[in-house]
Amino acid sequence: FLEKGEVEFKNVSFSYPESEVPVLQNLSFSVKSGETLAILGSTGSGKTSLFQLVPRLYDVSEGEVLVDGKNVRDYPIEALRKGIGVVPQEAVLFTGSISENISWGKEGAVQEEIVQAAKDAQIHETVLKLPNQYDTRVGQRGVNLSGGQKQRLSIARALVRKPKILMLDDSTSALDLKTEAKLLEALRKYACTTFIITQKISTAMEADHILLLDDGSIEAWGTHEELLETSPLYVKIVQS
Ligand code: DUT
Ligand code: MG
C-alpha cells in the first residue's frame, strides 16, 4: 500500500477543527524508510495530535505531510490506513476472540501470521496461559486483561498487517524494560519506519532521532547524545 514508508513534515501547523488554538506550530522534519523516531514531550504538548496527521485522522491546517515524497492528501485513504499501523494511546479490544482481535482489519490473516505477530508483540506467552488460548474471548463478558496485555494485543494487531509505518502512542508505557527491549528487538525484522511516543529515555536512546515537543513546537531534534549537548529541556528530562 505504501512504497517505503518515508515521512516528511514540511512547515506543518495544526489546530483542531472546533478550535482556533494552534496545537502544532511550524513543524519540519523527515524520517527515512526503516528509521525510528522517538517523540517526547510533556502532557498536552501535541504528540498524539502529530501522529494523527500521518494516517489523516485529521488534516493539517497549514503545511504538508508527505509519505514517500507524496502529499498524504493525494493517497487513497485506504492506502494510508492499510500501510500505517497506528497503536492508539488507549488500547481498544473488541468483543471476540484473541485471534479475532489481532486479525481485525486484516482480512484473510492465517493463524500462523497471528501467532507470529503475537510473539513479536510479546503477548504469545500470556495467550498460551489463557483458558482457550487464541480462542479465548476478550472484551465484554470475556477474560480481563491488564493494561499492558491490552497494549501488546493492540501492537500485535498492527504488526499482523506488516505496516510500512508503525506508530506507537505510548504503547509500551505499561511494559517492564526487559519486555520492551524484546519488543523493540522483534520490531527490527519488520523494517518499518517507526514513530514511538514515549516517556522513557531508555526507549528514546535507541531511536535514530528524537523529537522533543514543547507546547506544539519542536524544542529539539537529534540523537540522544546531540540533545544532551543542545537541549537544556532534554537534559532536565534525563535528570528527572
Ligand atoms: N486537543 C484538542 N482536541 C482534541 C485533542 C486534543 O483540542 O481532540 C488539545 C489538547 C492539548 C493539545 O490539543 O492542548 C495537544 O493534545 P495531544 O493529545 O496531542 O497531547 P499529547 O502530547 O499527546 O498529551 P498526552 O501526553 O497527555 O497524551
Ligand atoms: Mg497523547
Side-chain angles (χ1 to χ4, degrees):
F1 302 103
L2 301 175
E3 215 170 295
K4 295 189 286 184
E6 288 183 356
V7 180
E8 182 172 7
F9 275 54
K10 269 188 176 169
N11 307 106
V12 168
S13 296
F14 173 68
S15 48
Y16 282 93
E18 72 277 12
S19 122
E20 300 279 283
V21 188
V23 168
L24 298 171
Q25 297 183 69
N26 203 26
L27 308 187
S28 297
F29 62 87
S30 63
V31 185
K32 293 201 195 78
S33 179
E35 286 184 339
T36 298
L37 168 66
I39 301 174
L40 271 72
S42 55
T43 179
S45 60
K47 304 180 298 294
T48 298
S49 304
L50 183 159
F51 257 39
Q52 293 174 337
L53 301 176
V54 186
R56 287 191 67 199
L57 299 170
Y58 286 96
D59 278 323
V60 300
S61 309
E62 279 173 56
E64 290 179 313
V65 176
L66 309 175
V67 169
D68 295 336
K70 188 162 102 176
N71 195 313
V72 286
R73 286 175 194 265
D74 297 330
Y75 282 89
I77 203 82
E78 284 290 287
L80 296 174
R81 300 281 156 83
K82 292 197 166 158
I84 304 171
V86 182
V87 183
Q89 199 159 8
E90 295 291 329
V92 182
L93 296 187
F94 308 98
T95 303
S97 69
I98 294 274
S99 281
E100 285 164 349
N101 264 275
I102 294 175
S103 64
W104 185 84
K106 168 116 175 24
E107 302 81 20
V110 297
Q111 192 64 15
E112 218 171 32
E113 294 176 290
I114 292 171
V115 171
Q116 189 58 53
K119 282 183 177 166
D120 293 334
Q122 311 301 315
I123 189 67
H124 176 68
E125 298 295 326
T126 307
V127 174
L128 292 186
K129 289 184 198 137
L130 295 174
N132 296 306
Q133 280 102 46
Y134 281 86
D135 295 325
T136 306
R137 286 177 71 78
V138 293
Q140 277 184 337
R141 293 190 291 144
V143 294
N144 284 315
L145 296 176
S146 73
Q149 290 166 341
K150 285 184 195 164
Q151 282 182 335
R152 279 174 283 164
L153 264 189
S154 183
I155 294 169
R157 182 187 297 149
L159 292 181
V160 81
R161 297 156 67 164
K162 304 209 169 63
K164 276 279 183 295
I165 302 171
L166 177 66
M167 309 189 80
L168 305 169
D169 193 344
D170 225 357
S171 310
T172 60
S173 59
L175 305 189
D176 60 72
L177 289 177
K178 203 173 138 211
T179 308
E180 181 176 12
K182 280 200 213 162
L183 168 74
L184 295 178
E185 181 59 37
L187 289 183
R188 284 171 188 270
K189 70 168 182 275
Y190 287 81
C192 48
T193 308
T194 307
F195 282 40
I196 179 164
I197 292 176
T198 181
Q199 312 287 341
K200 296 181 204 162
I201 293 295
S202 57
T203 311
M205 281 174 72
E206 299 291 317
D208 296 300
H209 312 281
I210 299 167
L211 191 169
L212 177 55
L213 270 183
D214 186 30
D215 202 13
S217 298
I218 297 182
E219 152 74 21
W221 168 272
T223 61
H224 174 71
E225 286 73 22
E226 287 166 355
L227 265 56
L228 287 177
E229 297 292 321
T230 57
S231 171
L233 180 58
Y234 187 74
V235 172
K236 231 167 103 183
I237 296 169
V238 172
Q239 288 169 348
S240 65

